[in-house]
Structures are given as C-alpha cells and as structure tokens.
Amino acid sequence: MFVCERLPSIMPFLCPVKLWLIFLFFPLWAVAQQPSHYILGEEELEGIDIYRILQVSDGSYLIATGNGLITYDGYKFTTFPCPDMLRTSVFNLVEDYNGVVYCNNLSGQIFRLNNGICNLFYTIPDSSISSNIGLEIDNLNRLVIKANGLLILDDKATLTDQLSLGHFGQMTRLTDSSLVVYSREKQFAHLKNGSIIFSTETSSSENGNDVW
C-alpha cells in the first residue's frame, strides 16, 4: 500500500495491475525452480554396487553390479541369471553388431547374453589372467579381451588371434570401428580388418602418421 500511495495520481490503476501480475507469475516461477528429474531404482538398487550401465539395441538397460546382472525394461528391474558364475560381480558390458552382449567377472569368466539367456562363453587361461580385464568388439564383430595380453575370439569362442606383449591400457574404438590399445612397452596396437599394426609413440609422431 505504501508503493501505491507514491504513484502519481494520474496512474492509480497501475498499482493493482502490478500487484496482480506479481501474484500471477510468482507460482509459475516457483514451479520452474523445481528439479526436472527423478531417482530411478532408488529402492531396487539400494546398497548395490553398480559398475556399468548399458542401453542395448532393444532399448532396455543392462546393469553390471556387485550382485550380478540386472535388467531394466522401463517398468521393472529383474535379476538376470547366469549359471556357472563363480563371482557375482560383473564388469565391462559390450554389445556386438548382432545385439549380443558380453561381460566378465574377476575370475576370468566371459559371459554371453543372447535372446534372454546368459551362458558362460569363455574362460581366460591362467597364463593370461589379469585383475584388469577389458572387453571390446572389433570391426569384424570379434570379441577382443584385454588381460595379460590380447585375446581375440570369434562368435564360436574360437581364439583367432593372440598377443602376449604384457599388460595393455584401455582400448579405444575409433570412428571406423577399429580398435587402438596402448601397451606398457610403449607400443600402439591398431586392430582393423583382422590385421594388427604396431607403432611406437616416437615413430608415429615423427612420421606424422599418428591417425589414432
């Protein structure tokens, strides 16, 4: 009311209009400040360690956890049974070009998920086992396992190639779907079309051929 009394006499109508606009837009402003997100799986996943989430080609989600594999179809969470699993913590969800998903546990077991069934696909030999396992799919749709060396498998779990050059770092997928991985021996391994090309940091940089 104090503000209204200060307005010029020729504009007395502005005071109620201004107050009306303030009360009209204040609720809208208050609503706009509310967060536009919600917590998914707050109860279902409570206390579970989550290591990776992958949205697969059918639109559903696979969740790699310390309690095994969990699926989410947009409505409910379901535990995905995997027989023969020695350790329930699973990691490294990757999907190939046919919609088949692979993951692993720390026992060196590689599991294959296809058509709603989880089967033991491959077990990394003791000579190649590592606490730092990685999985990727190369451009020929083969599974590449990074452990103590590289193991390359076809869809029949046949070992088609193997590199025993010690421990490798993280594998990187390029835009042409080929893979690059860096070894502790300071070498790059470039996997494409069934071939493996090696290069050192020095030579690739000096020659200007560092396409990775």
Side-chain angles (χ1 to χ4, degrees), residues 120-187:
L120 179 61
F121 179 69
Y122 183 78
T123 300
I124 300 175
D126 291 340
S127 59
S128 299
I129 197 67
S130 169
S131 60
N132 184 17
I133 299 172
L135 304 179
E136 259 298 356
I137 305 296
D138 72 2
N139 70 314
L140 297 182
N141 207 33
R142 300 180 302 175
L143 177 66
V144 181
I145 305 171
K146 176 187 71 69
N148 186 13
L150 294 180
L151 306 170
I152 304 175
L153 308 174
D154 63 15
D155 59 356
K156 306 297 184 184
T158 302
L159 188 64
T160 61
D161 219 331
Q162 181 174 4
L163 298 178
S164 300
L165 295 179
H167 295 281
F168 287 85
Q170 181 177 351
M171 290 184 285
T172 301
R173 176 185 294 276
L174 304 184
T175 55
D176 61 358
S177 296
S178 63
L179 301 177
V180 170
V181 59
Y182 182 69
S183 74
R184 291 183 180 177
E185 286 73 21
K186 296 185 178 180
Q187 283 187 313

Side-chain angles (χ1 to χ4, degrees), residues 14-29:
L14 289 182
C15 185
V17 170
K18 285 186 176 181
L19 292 176
W20 180 79
L21 290 175
I22 291 173
F23 286 113
L24 173 65
F25 287 106
F26 181 79
L28 298 179
W29 175 84

Side-chain angles (χ1 to χ4, degrees), residues 48-62:
I48 297 177
D49 293 325
I50 297 175
Y51 302 117
R52 183 152 190 189
I53 300 175
L54 174 69
Q55 184 175 22
V56 293
S57 53
D58 65 2
S60 63
Y61 291 86
L62 277 172

Side-chain angles (χ1 to χ4, degrees), residues 21-138:
L21 290 175
I22 291 173
F23 286 113
L24 173 65
F25 287 106
F26 181 79
L28 298 179
W29 175 84
V31 171
Q33 302 308 305
Q34 299 300 316
S36 58
H37 67 274
Y38 58 95
I39 299 176
L40 192 65
E42 184 176 12
E43 297 180 0
E44 295 89 343
L45 303 177
E46 183 178 4
I48 297 177
D49 293 325
I50 297 175
Y51 302 117
R52 183 152 190 189
I53 300 175
L54 174 69
Q55 184 175 22
V56 293
S57 53
D58 65 2
S60 63
Y61 291 86
L62 277 172
I63 307 171
T65 79
N67 292 7
L69 284 169
I70 297 175
T71 62
Y72 178 67
D73 60 3
Y75 299 97
K76 65 181 183 300
F77 292 88
T78 306
T79 300
F80 204 112
C82 287
D84 305 318
M85 185 176 286
L86 298 179
R87 296 188 184 181
T88 58
S89 294
V90 290
F91 310 88
N92 299 314
L93 294 168
V94 293
E95 183 178 18
D96 73 7
Y97 303 127
N98 296 323
V100 178
V101 177
Y102 298 89
C103 64
N104 70 276
N105 62 14
L106 294 180
S107 295
Q109 294 179 300
I110 310 297
F111 293 91
R112 172 175 171 153
L113 291 68
N114 190 24
N115 296 324
I117 300 175
C118 177
N119 290 319
L120 179 61
F121 179 69
Y122 183 78
T123 300
I124 300 175
D126 291 340
S127 59
S128 299
I129 197 67
S130 169
S131 60
N132 184 17
I133 299 172
L135 304 179
E136 259 298 356
I137 305 296
D138 72 2

